[in-house]
């Protein structure tokens, strides 16, 4: 069996994190290295490695990521002022953790698309 991802360990509580939302399908917590004033990760509880691995049966769960993103944006007070949602996919997409997650970035005017290069 594959080693659990760091996000699975956050979801099961074996690694501490600042969880801001959790339900049967997704868990959301603060990014440990925020790239904006507010930087939340919304993670599927099911450990699918990346968007390239999703299947039709995951459709409801994946749609739910957006519903939860809207809720968190509303709770943060940025639903109208704006925010950015990012899903990195694979090595060239800058994905570091092989467990599907959506970044929610907010707080002031954001810069150009994407994070600064990690190189
Ligand atoms: P990605 O590059 O899209 O895979 O994003 C992975 C994100 O996970 C990065 O923004 C990291 O800062 C974040 N991250 C890694 N470990 C933790 C952790 N223990 N708690 C919260 N965020 C984390």
């Amino acid at each position: 069996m594959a080693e659990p991802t760091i996000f699975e360990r956050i979801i099961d509580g074996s690694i501490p994190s600042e969880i801001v939302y959790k339900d049967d399908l997704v868990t959301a917590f603060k990014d440990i290295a925020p790239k904006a004033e507010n930087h939340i990760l919304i993670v599927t509880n099911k450990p699918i490695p990346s968007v390239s691995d999703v299947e039709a049966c995951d459709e409801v769960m994946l749609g739910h990521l957006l519903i939860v993103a809207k809720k968190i944006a509303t709770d943060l007070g940025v639903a109208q002022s704006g925010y950015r949602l990012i899903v990195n996919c694979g090595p060239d997409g800058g994905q570091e953790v092989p467990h599907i997650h959506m970044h929610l970035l907010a707080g002031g005017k954001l810069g150009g698309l994407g994070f600064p290069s990690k190189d």
Side-chain angles (χ1 to χ4, degrees), residues 7 10 30-32 41 88 94-97 101 103 118:
F7 291 168
I10 286 173
K30 293 187 181 178
D31 196 293
I32 203 168
L41 299 173
N88 293 326
Q95 183 180 6
E96 287 181 345
V97 179
H101 54 282
H103 297 255
K118 291 164 183 157

